[in-house]
Amino acid sequence: MGEKPTTGASEFTELAQRVRQSGLMRRRYGYYWSKLIGAPIALGGCLVAFVFIGDTWWQLFTAAVLAIVFTQIAFLGHDAAHRQIFASGRWNDWICLILGDLLVGMSYGWWQHKHTRHHANPNKLGSDPDLELPVITVTGERSRWLAGPLGRWIRAHQGLFFFPLLLLEGVSLHASGLRRIVGRQHLDRRWVEIGFMGVRLVGFTTLVFLVLSPGIAFVFLVVQLGIFGFYMGVSFAPNHKGMPVVPRDRTLDFLRRQVMMSRNIRGSRFLDVAMGGLNYQIEHHLFPSMPRPHLRRAAPLIAAYCDEHAVPYTQTGLFASYTIVVRYINRVGLGERDVFTCPLIDQRQFVSSGSAERTGDGLG
């Protein structure tokens, strides 16, 4: 007599129980306090060095270092936004405001609204705001945004422009946040965000022009914003681009919705630090409040569970993921009808191929 098949909800409940029993949801206060103390010290050290070095083109190296520090602080703010640091939601919110608005210059309220929608429906048409890029088109619905011979050539080669355009992502992140805090949309702690972002953006820019001559100051800001945006972009780009896109009318259970639309990036602990834990995108989407240092331990447990339940679990190398992203974006630009595959069809193909492999292994 066969076992009654479990539903998607009960499958995730079972996985969640295994994860909790393994202690992977336990908070890591020592880890995070060291980062919360270290981040402003690192930033302060960079600013002191900036003033000490003075008016010289060597400051472009300082700009690059600052871009890296700002990105790492943004990763820490991302952890706080997902309630990974403290049990108190209020504490996490204020950490986000300090790290995001005051230190980095990004609006926490704007980012939270956008990112919450993404987590709820990753890669779903009409629901995931990360599919609505302003220049590069990543969905078939927007694949005809340029007309004429030149437009067709740009669409067909838009993957070539993806990474260069990431150099503008830093400006876009700051601008999007500013539009949110001065707009009419609801925003908690609006005046706190206005004050923090005002201090950060105006104060930092003023400091740069006080220390450097106008020409060097302008190039300094271009380099800092360019590297910051590029670093942020290449950390987020491999996570979902090139994975199945969910049609508007398709509903998936939570386990499959989060696993099948996400991609993990294999690598060392150095990569874990460099990408802020975003290389464990599947684990992060399944358990957003799981502290970052537990993600590496959770990955093999979740991969094994997905294999047990025939849920495709995707992971690849970093540079291989970028190749996938570029090819995918180019295919979208060409308007290929089959560029988007239904996740349920993907799963059936996965199960069929797995069954065939198991059958083949038993022959001979």
Side-chain angles (χ1 to χ4, degrees):
M1 189 173 181
E3 293 183 354
K4 183 179 179 179
T6 58
T7 64
S10 63
E11 287 175 345
F12 177 72
T13 299
E14 181 185 350
L15 174 60
Q17 290 173 346
R18 293 189 189 184
V19 167
R20 283 194 295 269
Q21 290 169 359
S22 300
L24 295 172
M25 299 303 295
R26 187 179 66 253
R27 299 194 182 276
R28 294 290 299 272
Y29 290 111
Y31 171 87
Y32 278 115
W33 271 117
S34 65
K35 285 188 170 292
L36 289 173
I37 294 171
I41 290 175
L43 179 57
C46 288
L47 295 178
V48 169
F50 171 73
V51 174
F52 178 78
I53 293 170
D55 189 20
T56 170
W57 287 104
W58 289 105
Q59 291 281 25
L60 298 187
F61 290 100
T62 311
V65 173
L66 274 170
I68 294 171
V69 171
F70 283 138
T71 305
Q72 286 292 320
I73 293 174
F75 289 156
L76 187 58
H78 171 263
D79 291 0
H82 282 292
R83 308 300 191 251
Q84 295 178 20
I85 300 181
F86 299 110
S88 167
R90 184 179 179 85
W91 276 51
N92 284 304
D93 285 340
W94 277 99
I95 288 297
C96 288
L97 290 167
I98 293 170
L99 295 177
D101 292 69
L102 184 60
L103 298 188
V104 179
M106 285 175 53
S107 167
Y108 166 53
W110 162 77
W111 180 88
Q112 183 188 43
H113 174 74
K114 176 177 180 290
H115 200 61
T116 299
R117 291 167 57 205
H118 161 70
H119 265 263
N121 289 286
N123 269 26
K124 183 170 184 177
L125 291 172
S127 300
D128 185 356
D130 288 357
L131 293 177
E132 301 168 2
L133 301 182
V135 179
I136 299 294
T137 177
V138 295
T139 68
E141 291 185 348
R142 302 182 67 237
S143 63
R144 293 176 176 80
W145 63 281
L146 287 175
L150 178 60
R152 287 193 295 271
W153 185 89
I154 292 175
R155 288 201 312 269
H157 299 85
Q158 63 173 351
L160 296 175
F161 305 114
F162 180 70
F163 289 102
L165 284 171
L166 291 180
L167 294 170
L168 302 176
E169 182 67 11
V171 175
S172 176
L173 291 171
H174 291 310
S176 296
L178 285 171
R179 284 196 298 269
R180 181 77 182 193
I181 65 174
V182 300
R184 296 184 178 182
Q185 295 173 299
H186 172 76
L187 186 69
D188 294 331
R189 303 185 182 91
R190 182 183 301 276
W191 288 106
V192 173
E193 293 212 45
I194 290 175
F196 279 2
M197 286 190 68
V199 170
R200 162 60 173 86
L201 297 178
V202 176
F204 180 70
T205 304
T206 301
L207 176 64
V208 170
F209 277 91
L210 285 175
V211 173
L212 304 178
S213 56
I216 299 177
F218 177 78
V219 177
F220 178 93
L221 291 175
V222 169
V223 170
Q224 185 267 305
L225 286 168
I227 295 177
F228 169 68
F230 187 84
Y231 188 1
M232 290 283 283
V234 296
S235 299
F236 282 91
N239 300 337
H240 302 282
K241 301 293 184 292
M243 296 301 292
V245 172
V246 184
R248 294 172 182 269
D249 59 351
R250 182 71 64 185
T251 300
L252 299 173
D253 65 83
F254 183 79
L255 178 65
R256 287 161 180 79
R257 183 166 74 243
Q258 302 300 339
V259 174
M260 296 174 66
M261 266 50 74
S262 303
R263 178 193 296 113
N264 275 13
I265 307 300
R266 291 189 298 265
S268 65
R269 292 186 182 277
F270 173 79
L271 186 67
D272 295 356
V273 175
M275 296 189 69
L278 296 175
N279 47 320
Y280 298 106
Q281 195 66 194
I282 294 173
E283 288 69 32
H284 173 61
H285 265 257
L286 287 172
F287 302 97
S289 61
M290 178 182 290
R292 191 197 308 180
H294 289 323
L295 295 172
R296 174 174 279 268
R297 287 178 51 205
L301 184 155
I302 292 174
Y305 186 84
C306 288
D307 184 60
E308 290 176 21
H309 294 267
V311 178
Y313 180 102
T314 303
Q315 56 182 332
T316 186
L318 181 63
F319 294 105
S321 72
Y322 293 145
T323 301
I324 293 169
V325 169
V326 171
R327 288 177 178 172
Y328 170 80
I329 292 174
N330 279 337
R331 289 170 58 205
V332 175
L334 289 170
E336 292 185 18
R337 294 183 178 179
D338 296 331
V339 67
F340 307 117
T341 55
C342 174
L344 296 180
I345 294 176
D346 277 358
Q347 185 183 19
R348 284 197 291 270
Q349 292 175 342
F350 176 82
V351 173
S352 299
S353 62
S355 300
E357 288 177 3
R358 286 190 291 271
T359 302
D361 291 341
L363 297 176

